[in-house]
Amino acid sequence: VLGFFFSSILTKTPISVRRNLASLAVCTVTRLCEGAPAGDCGGDTLVQRVAETVASVPDNLLDELQDPLAALAKATLGPDAMGHSTALLRALADPGDGACSGLSAVETLGRSVTPMVAVQLVLGIVRLLWSLGAKSNGDNQRLCSSVVLPAIAPTLHNIHRRPYIPRRAKAAAVFSYVYACALLPDGSATLEQQVEIHTEMLAYVEVHHAEALGHGSASGVIEESSWMWLHALLLRALWQASSSCVGGGADGILESSAAVINNHLKAVTTGEPQEVLVTLAAASALAAVAPKLDIDRRARLFVLLWRCHLPRARGVEVRFDVNDDEGLGHWQRNRLEEHYDLHRVDREGLGRTLEWRDTMAVFLVAKWRALASLACLPGLITALGKQPPAEQQAGAPVFEEPWPHRFGLALLAELETLQPPHIAFWAMVVRRVAFPLVFTASVAEDRQREMLHALCSGLRGTILEATGDSSTYMPQGCMAELAATLCDPLLLEAERRLFPPTFCEQSSAESPLTEAVRRLLAVGEVSVGVSRCVVAPLLASLLRPSLHSNQGDSHENPSEAAAAELMVALLLHQEATIPDGAAQYAPNIAAGVVDSDGPGGNGSLAAVCPRACELGRKFGGTPGLTRILTLAALDCLAERSSCDGNPRNERTTLPTLVLATLHGLLAALRRALEHLLRPPSSRRHSPARPPTPMPMSSTHRMQLRAWQAVLVLGAHADRATAKFLVAELFFHLSVTHVPDVREYQELLGCVLCGRFPDLAVEPLLVPALKQFDAAVQVSASLLIIVGYLFRTWAASPKEALRSQPERITALVLATVPYLSHNAAYVRGCAAWAYQEMVSAVGPESFCAHAGGSIDATLIQELQRFQTENRECQKMRGRLKLVFTDFEPGPRSILECLVDRSLVLQDVSESSQQQQQQQQQQKQQQYEHVFADSEFQPTSTFLSHLKREVAEEMNVLWDRTDPSQYPSYSESWQQLVADAMAAEAMTHGATTGAARVAFSETDALDLMVGGAAGGAAGLQRKFVPPAAPEVAGGGARGATERVVARRMPLVVVASLVDKVPNVAGLSRTCEVFNCEALCVPNLKITKDQVFQSISVSAEKWLPMSEVTKVGLKQHLLELRRQGFSLVGVEQTHSSVPLDSWQFAPSTALVLGAEKEGIDAEVLPLLDACVEIPQAGQLRSLNVHVSGSLVIWEYVRQRRAALAT
């Protein structure tokens, strides 16, 4: 079953989820095998079945499954799993032939299998040894030399000298040796030491390769065609070893193979099957040894391989077997794994030539992989330019363009003829060979523009072919290499040179590369994997030229402005992922890249973003990784530019790319804000409505991302940058924003005003404070900046007053009017700031430095009132801790976002229950929660300030007239309780009845009925009908009061994953006093969007965390407690809501926003109800539906209690 899963099912699933699915599959089978008796399995030994299963694992998942495969081996084979595996390896490589008496079952099996099956088993055995020895010490770390080599050495020492050794033993021994040297830790050391074995194996390969080249019988060509992949793999391994291991046999193989290719190019190809196989064998051998040659031979061989083309075999069906010998055996393997896995070739060699259609696939991979290997070696372009090959010199026609340029153009033209997977190797070749030959000053610019247009369009189209419903299969490595080619630094430089802004304006032409990248990013918002392929090479190519450049202005460098446009697109980008509940999946950055040293490799990305790997691990499962990497790279560029060559680490001129990016971000923010201030005429606009977008709408998300980037990059601002940045900031501060966006604006304002007070205070801050009709949020934000400045200056008051008396005076005078502001937290903030500054310098000194511009008596009396008034002292005491802990500097750096943030999607459901309490404790140290693909502050400074002021005002209200300020303080509770007791006694004395209980509402009416204005001026919604019950149990207030009983209704919202819907349900449940609300993750209660909608409902409503995984178990537990399980879903048996009679104890199950209730949950329910509908739409929002059903339950309960 596991082998079928890997070969037939896994290859058809999205690339980004394969690792998780494969790990789950192996772990599931391991658990099924634990405790099962070992023994025979259908006549075959169990170790054979395990080896076949492990051999079916795709090579690109092998590293991820190392530990699960070891657990599987131990569960099936027992503690001595390594010994069983070694015994089977020894039996497969045994030079004996035929069954003999006295052999064990494993030895009999080893001698009876066919050669191809033996290679399959060897592949699984070596992988088993590798996984079992991963965590072992001692000898197990020398598996190749101490385990594998002793088992196969008898065959390898005589593989050429004793031709009667069975093909099964030779193939098993050769492949196990080469594969073990590539996979096991000590493989490289072992490969360098076995000189005698290498000589014997090289002689063996030379004989069989001669047969494959047609130097023997025709049947020999057919027979050796099945093993040319193994011969090429062995040649490459031996050639990569030290030169002493390779003799003249390798040169003979090289010369004979080159002669075959030359003859093939000169002669007219007929497409005979034998000719096809001979050409394929020669090309495979040349591809294996080409990278080890000297530079001149490399250049000749490069052109030779490039010109070589394999004809289609004539007269044969492409799906027929090449070698129909039954003795060869069959190893069924998925073609996507055999011929499309880019990295499998390094360990397992070229794909096997089993069918005639395999010949072309193997040839193209061998050819382009060899060309890519040659292109990566130094000196190739110089050797190509010295002189064309001899066949190009003799009788060649005269061309206008020189040979190297024509060669480069021909390489670029190959894009139209290639397909995955060899197109990835083509991308490596053109980056290193074609680009330097074509995009150079010696080629006409019109010709370069033509090729650049065609190339960018072709690369973009090829990548897009792998996206969408009708996409063609393309490995992730191919897409990554194509994207790296599109974003190559040479192409970017060519675009800047060939398409300057003046040329584009005159010719109405677009920059082809920038336009192609922009379109790919747009596709990346809806197609998984595209954005992550683009971001690594794009950042590496755009930022490397700017690492040491920190001069000039972005408007003077059009190329930087174009690069900044792409940076802005990345910073505001949200890539597509595959959602799976709370988790999301997407390919890793640089996943599958073949050229690790190219622009798409991890090394290039780490050069511009050193924290790329760390950020990828933390945010890899979120849609925000692309913009986080971009922001980290720009932050690193700004930090390096400010510190390079500066021993004091003082900030110098900001890099032009960072400056241009800031310009682009602020321009996007201004456009969004102006759209809100002046919406289109089709939308109604109320002047009283604040110009803020809906929470978590596209505009709100854009503002969040942009201001986060502006904050991080603006913290590096130099004086010139700060001049325009402060002006733009105060434009946005003058308008209300969503609180989490406002938090970033306030932080940036504090940082910039603290560093450049001359640019911000008198020109902008003081005039803004004098706009007395500003919104409350605007005034509060300005006073937060004032408070931070005063606290900073108060630390050294004499120096501050001496150096900037006019500035301090102007700011103090602008703050004084806000001491009478109607909003308590604005008034309190102004009072704290005023007292902090004036007290630090002293009112007399302050007035003296003011030079008579202010009334000294007024200042002294205000300061005395603030000092002596007890209530002002208490308010300042509360606000002092708030302002003292407020440090904008550390909160404006990148680490505050990425390090001190909690990524909710990374919580493991399996360990969630065990670590729930620990996670809740850790929650306090996080300043941001990364949920729903956005960073959001766990608590804004302004909201913290509001809470402290509100708490102090509650204390103040406790000592005032309760009829004017109703609250649930202790004094107010006592007054209500006394009124209730007095009325009960009066009622009993007049009627003779027993003492009765009165409600709080009746008592409140009695208390305030005779007051001035009576109860008519009091809105009852501010007075709850009973003391609020704290979620942890008990009532808040007097202990003797009767607490209202909760409705026995449990609302299960574990399938609801939208924060606004869960917040609305919590508010509804609290209003109707439900027993509990079950949510998928309690951490969403810390979310600012949740809190803005729930309006503190989570503080009074019992809430429990029930994940989607534990939902069924929780429902069964509710049933055991006597609850009736009712779902809100439209099914074939659902009952209209107005016809359903709810049980007293009911658990209401709500479904997901789009999918509804899972099919596996429906059988657990007692019934389903649906809301009768008369319109065209067939669904309601889950919050609305839940609220309607909750009210119907409450209505029925109230009616039942009334009767």
Side-chain angles (χ1 to χ4, degrees):
V1 172
L2 194 57
F4 175 77
F5 169 80
F6 282 121
S7 60
S8 301
I9 298 179
L10 190 64
T11 53
K12 298 179 177 63
T13 60
I15 298 174
S16 53
V17 301
R18 289 182 186 176
R19 291 175 298 166
N20 300 77
L21 289 179
S23 179
L24 288 174
V26 175
C27 293
T28 301
V29 174
T30 301
R31 292 184 180 180
L32 293 175
C33 294
E34 289 176 350
D40 290 346
C41 185
D44 300 331
T45 60
L46 189 58
V47 65
Q48 177 192 6
R49 291 293 192 184
V50 176
E52 291 174 350
T53 301
V54 177
S56 64
V57 176
D59 180 81
N60 54 11
L61 297 177
L62 199 58
D63 293 336
E64 302 287 341
L65 299 180
Q66 186 172 22
D67 292 338
L69 289 178
L72 176 65
K74 293 178 180 178
T76 53
L77 302 179
D80 194 23
M82 187 173 293
H84 292 301
S85 303
T86 307
L88 180 57
L89 176 62
R90 187 180 295 106
L92 292 171
D94 189 354
D97 191 12
C100 302
S101 59
L103 296 178
S104 64
V106 173
E107 293 173 336
T108 303
L109 170 66
R111 293 191 176 193
S112 61
V113 299
T114 58
M116 198 61 71
V117 174
V119 173
Q120 177 190 12
L121 294 176
V122 163
L123 177 65
I125 292 170
V126 176
R127 288 180 172 182
L128 279 175
L129 296 175
W130 167 76
S131 61
L132 290 169
K135 297 183 178 180
S136 303
N137 299 318
D139 294 338
N140 290 332
Q141 290 298 318
R142 298 189 298 272
L143 291 173
C144 188
S145 59
S146 62
V147 178
V148 176
L149 189 59
I152 61 177
T155 300
L156 293 181
H157 280 292
N158 301 284
I159 193 170
H160 173 62
R161 285 177 288 186
R162 298 184 179 180
Y164 54 82
I165 295 178
R167 192 64 178 257
R168 174 263 311 160
K170 293 181 179 179
V174 170
F175 181 70
S176 60
Y177 176 74
V178 178
Y179 187 65
C181 289
L183 182 65
L184 299 181
D186 62 328
S188 300
T190 303
L191 190 65
E192 293 289 340
Q193 298 171 0
Q194 307 301 321
V195 179
E196 182 180 353
I197 290 180
H198 291 178
T199 304
E200 184 73 10
M201 287 193 295
L202 191 60
Y204 164 78
V205 172
E206 184 178 9
V207 172
H208 286 274
H209 184 66
E211 290 282 342
L213 294 181
H215 297 167
S217 61
S219 60
V221 176
I222 299 294
E223 181 180 355
E224 296 299 331
S225 64
S226 302
W227 302 103
M228 63 178 66
W229 66 273
L230 184 57
H231 300 158
L233 180 64
L234 180 58
L235 274 176
R236 184 165 61 88
L238 298 182
W239 203 270
Q240 288 176 349
S242 60
S243 58
S244 61
C245 300
V246 185
D251 291 331
I253 294 174
L254 178 63
E255 293 174 1
S256 60
S257 300
V260 169
I261 299 298
N262 276 318
N263 294 333
H264 169 72
L265 294 175
K266 294 178 181 179
V268 178
T269 58
T270 60
E272 292 294 331
Q274 183 174 351
E275 178 187 2
V276 172
L277 295 178
V278 169
T279 305
L280 178 59
S284 301
L286 289 178
V289 300
K292 197 69 175 180
L293 303 176
D294 59 79
I295 185 61
D296 292 332
R297 297 174 73 185
R298 285 182 209 158
R300 290 195 296 269
L301 191 57
F302 186 93
V303 178
L304 186 65
L305 283 174
W306 172 70
R307 295 181 60 227
C308 179
H309 297 280
L310 189 70
R312 189 176 298 275
R314 189 180 64 179
V316 295
E317 174 59 38
V318 293
R319 294 182 180 271
F320 284 0
D321 291 339
V322 176
N323 187 359
D324 55 2
D325 183 9
E326 293 294 337
L328 178 65
H330 296 280
W331 174 11
Q332 296 299 329
R333 200 172 192 182
N334 191 291
R335 287 182 60 83
L336 293 180
E337 180 188 359
E338 183 81 6
H339 301 296
Y340 285 76
D341 189 344
L342 298 175
H343 296 275
R344 186 195 61 82
V345 183
D346 295 332
R347 295 172 177 171
E348 302 176 28
L350 303 172
R352 297 166 300 153
T353 310
L354 301 181
E355 301 174 356
W356 284 104
R357 59 175 176 167
D358 296 336
T359 56
M360 184 60 68
V362 174
F363 171 79
L364 289 175
V365 171
K367 168 185 173 178
W368 285 103
R369 187 173 181 276
L371 293 178
S373 300
L374 292 172
C376 293
L377 299 175
L380 180 64
I381 296 180
T382 304
L384 288 174
K386 286 182 179 179
Q387 57 179 0
E391 58 268 22
Q392 290 290 334
Q393 293 177 348
V398 178
F399 294 94
E400 295 181 359
E401 296 173 336
W403 151 252
H405 302 159
R406 286 187 287 110
F407 183 55
L409 293 173
L411 283 174
L412 295 179
E414 293 276 4
L415 174 62
E416 300 179 357
T417 64
L418 298 179
Q419 296 178 349
H422 36 272
I423 196 172
F425 301 114
W426 167 88
M428 297 173 59
V429 173
V430 297
R431 287 202 302 268
R432 286 176 163 81
V433 178
F435 288 176
L437 295 177
V438 174
F439 299 106
T440 180
S442 57
V443 180
E445 289 191 353
D446 291 341
R447 181 64 167 158
Q448 294 185 55
R449 291 192 185 98
E450 178 186 352
M451 291 306 302
L452 186 59
H453 260 297
L455 181 62
C456 293
S457 177
L459 289 171
R460 177 175 59 85
T462 305
I463 294 175
L464 294 182
E465 287 179 358
T467 63
D469 296 334
S470 59
S471 61
T472 59
Y473 177 78
M474 180 179 290
Q476 187 69 20
C478 287
M479 190 181 298
E481 290 296 342
L482 291 174
T485 303
L486 179 63
C487 302
D488 188 80
L490 285 177
L491 275 194
L492 284 171
E493 179 59 32
E495 183 188 55
R496 294 172 180 175
R497 178 172 48 85
L498 299 173
F499 292 90
T502 55
F503 175 84
C504 294
E505 293 175 0
Q506 295 173 0
S507 61
S508 300
E510 294 181 343
S511 301
L513 192 152
T514 303
E515 182 63 20
V517 172
R518 188 185 298 111
R519 293 189 180 185
L520 286 178
L521 290 177
V523 174
E525 294 183 353
V526 294
S527 296
V528 180
V530 178
S531 300
R532 298 200 176 183
C533 290
V534 174
V535 64
L538 186 61
L539 290 178
S541 300
L542 289 178
L543 293 181
R544 270 191 174 181
S546 303
L547 284 179
H548 302 289
S549 174
N550 57 356
Q551 302 294 328
D553 185 82
S554 66
H555 296 294
E556 300 175 1
N557 191 347
S559 62
E560 293 288 357
E565 182 181 354
L566 294 177
M567 288 298 181
V568 172
L570 288 174
L571 289 171
L572 302 181
H573 183 70
Q574 178 175 348
E575 59 180 326
T577 56
I578 299 178
D580 181 18
Q584 300 189 37
Y585 298 102
N588 292 332
I589 292 290
V593 169
V594 182
D595 187 6
S596 58
D597 297 328
N602 284 320
S604 298
L605 182 60
V608 297
C609 181
R611 301 187 59 190
C613 293
E614 176 188 350
L615 296 176
R617 286 191 297 268
K618 184 171 184 177
F619 299 97
T622 71
L625 179 60
T626 299
R627 66 176 183 274
I628 293 171
L629 287 176
T630 305
L631 183 57
L634 288 172
D635 179 72
C636 179
L637 174 62
E639 189 66 29
R640 288 179 178 178
S641 300
S642 65
C643 299
D644 286 349
N646 193 346
R648 297 183 179 180
N649 289 342
E650 297 177 351
R651 301 190 186 278
T652 57
T653 305
L654 201 66
T656 54
L657 180 58
V658 178
L659 184 61
T661 303
L662 279 172
H663 277 286
L665 289 170
L666 292 173
L669 287 168
R670 180 175 279 267
R671 288 193 299 268
L673 185 57
E674 290 177 348
H675 181 79
L676 293 171
L677 293 172
R678 291 181 289 275
S681 57
S682 59
R683 288 174 48 192
R684 295 182 179 179
H685 178 64
S686 173
R689 180 185 178 276
T692 56
M694 290 294 293
M696 302 316 296
S697 63
S698 58
T699 303
H700 179 210
R701 291 174 183 271
M702 189 279 292
Q703 290 179 335
L704 267 177
R705 300 167 191 166
W707 279 111
Q708 287 162 4
V710 171
L711 173 64
V712 173
L713 301 179
H716 300 283
D718 52 42
R719 187 173 183 81
T721 305
K723 189 173 183 179
F724 85 88
L725 188 56
V726 169
E728 195 68 20
L729 171 66
F730 273 87
F731 168 76
H732 289 272
L733 283 173
S734 64
V735 184
T736 56
H737 283 76
V738 181
D740 48 10
V741 175
R742 198 62 166 194
E743 172 79 0
Y744 298 119
Q745 296 173 349
E746 293 165 354
L747 289 172
L748 183 61
C750 292
V751 171
L752 294 179
C753 292
R755 289 179 53 202
F756 307 100
D758 57 323
L759 299 178
V761 176
E762 294 95 332
L764 297 168
L765 182 56
V766 172
L769 287 169
K770 293 182 179 180
Q771 299 294 326
F772 298 133
D773 61 341
V776 175
Q777 187 196 66
V778 174
S779 301
S781 297
L782 296 175
L783 289 172
I784 287 174
I785 298 175
V786 171
Y788 171 73
L789 291 177
F790 282 173
R791 192 199 75 183
T792 304
W793 294 341
S796 55
K798 294 183 179 180
E799 175 64 25
L801 196 60
R802 183 186 59 80
S803 60
Q804 45 188 0
E806 296 83 2
R807 182 172 300 131
I808 295 177
T809 302
L811 202 53
V812 169
L813 289 178
T815 306
V816 168
Y818 289 89
L819 296 174
S820 60
H821 200 281
N822 187 54
Y825 65 95
V826 175
R827 188 170 62 248
C829 187
W832 184 90
Y834 172 85
Q835 184 69 9
E836 183 77 7
M837 190 72 251
V838 176
S839 298
V841 301
E844 296 82 6
S845 301
F846 177 79
C847 296
H849 282 80
S853 60
I854 59 176
D855 189 343
T857 303
L858 175 63
I859 294 297
Q860 292 174 357
E861 289 302 305
L862 280 176
Q863 195 270 342
R864 189 169 69 86
F865 178 81
Q866 292 286 333
T867 303
E868 298 178 2
N869 185 270
R870 184 174 301 176
E871 302 301 333
C872 291
Q873 293 174 6
K874 292 181 179 180
M875 181 66 75
R876 287 201 312 275
R878 279 187 177 271
L879 297 185
K880 181 177 182 180
L881 296 177
V882 179
F883 276 96
T884 303
D885 294 338
F886 181 55
E887 293 293 341
R891 296 180 64 184
S892 62
I893 60 177
L894 178 68
E895 287 73 11
C896 183
L897 282 178
V898 298
D899 292 345
R900 297 194 292 275
S901 64
L902 176 65
V903 182
L904 293 183
Q905 290 88 338
D906 285 349
V907 177
S908 174
E909 292 183 347
S910 60
S911 60
Q912 188 173 353
Q913 295 179 353
Q914 294 84 351
Q915 298 180 357
Q916 179 177 349
Q917 185 177 1
Q918 181 181 2
Q919 289 288 349
Q920 290 176 350
Q921 295 173 355
K922 289 183 178 180
Q923 177 77 16
Q924 305 301 323
Q925 68 185 6
Y926 294 115
E927 296 189 16
H928 290 85
V929 173
F930 191 82
D932 198 16
S933 74
E934 303 294 343
F935 285 110
Q936 291 180 300
T938 54
S939 177
T940 65
F941 179 78
L942 193 55
S943 63
H944 191 188
L945 190 68
K946 285 182 179 181
R947 285 195 300 269
E948 293 298 328
V949 173
E951 289 291 335
E952 183 59 32
M953 295 303 294
N954 281 337
V955 175
L956 171 65
W957 290 341
D958 284 345
R959 296 184 296 276
T960 60
D961 181 7
S963 65
Q964 300 299 322
Y965 301 101
S967 68
Y968 272 92
S969 61
E970 293 183 2
S971 58
W972 172 244
Q973 296 286 356
Q974 187 62 43
L975 289 173
V976 174
D978 293 343
M980 293 172 61
E983 178 60 21
M985 293 178 62
T986 303
H987 187 274
T990 57
T991 63
R995 180 177 178 179
V996 296
F998 284 81
S999 67
E1000 284 184 29
T1001 306
D1002 297 333
L1004 178 63
D1005 292 340
L1006 291 171
M1007 288 176 55
V1008 302
L1018 186 64
Q1019 295 185 22
R1020 286 186 57 190
K1021 70 178 182 180
F1022 293 112
V1023 184
E1029 184 177 351
V1030 182
R1036 184 171 179 173
T1039 57
E1040 297 179 356
R1041 301 186 54 244
V1042 178
V1043 179
R1045 299 181 108 185
R1046 292 192 177 275
M1047 292 285 184
L1049 176 66
V1050 176
V1051 179
V1052 182
S1054 300
L1055 300 177
V1056 181
D1057 54 7
K1058 299 296 183 184
V1059 175
N1061 289 334
V1062 179
L1065 286 170
S1066 69
R1067 186 170 180 175
T1068 302
C1069 292
E1070 201 285 324
V1071 165
F1072 292 114
N1073 211 23
C1074 296
E1075 182 168 320
L1077 172 64
C1078 302
V1079 297
N1081 194 329
L1082 281 175
K1083 294 184 178 66
I1084 63 173
T1085 59
K1086 305 295 184 181
D1087 187 270
Q1088 190 169 359
V1089 175
F1090 181 96
Q1091 294 177 354
S1092 66
I1093 298 175
S1094 68
V1095 291
S1096 76
E1098 70 277 4
K1099 297 182 179 179
W1100 319 112
L1101 174 69
M1103 299 178 66
S1104 61
E1105 182 173 303
V1106 178
T1107 64
K1108 185 178 179 180
V1109 175
L1111 176 58
K1112 291 191 290 185
Q1113 186 67 29
H1114 184 70
L1115 292 178
L1116 294 176
E1117 179 62 28
L1118 288 175
R1119 174 171 289 163
R1120 283 191 289 268
Q1121 296 176 11
F1123 284 86
S1124 174
L1125 306 182
V1126 179
V1128 183
E1129 185 60 273
Q1130 295 173 335
T1131 66
H1132 68 282
S1133 60
S1134 56
V1135 180
L1137 179 60
D1138 53 359
S1139 302
W1140 178 258
Q1141 186 66 33
F1142 285 97
S1145 297
T1146 297
L1148 197 64
V1149 182
L1150 302 176
E1153 282 81 352
K1154 295 181 180 180
E1155 296 81 5
I1157 300 177
D1158 291 351
E1160 59 183 8
V1161 177
L1162 287 174
L1164 302 177
L1165 304 179
D1166 298 317
C1168 286
V1169 297
E1170 64 172 279
I1171 301 170
Q1173 302 170 17
Q1176 296 297 321
L1177 300 179
R1178 297 300 299 161
S1179 65
L1180 287 168
N1181 178 271
V1182 65
H1183 169 213
V1184 176
S1185 301
S1187 299
L1188 290 174
V1189 179
I1190 291 171
W1191 163 244
E1192 177 61 22
Y1193 168 86
V1194 172
R1195 188 193 64 78
Q1196 294 183 17
R1197 288 291 298 159
R1198 288 167 62 97
L1201 292 175
T1203 58

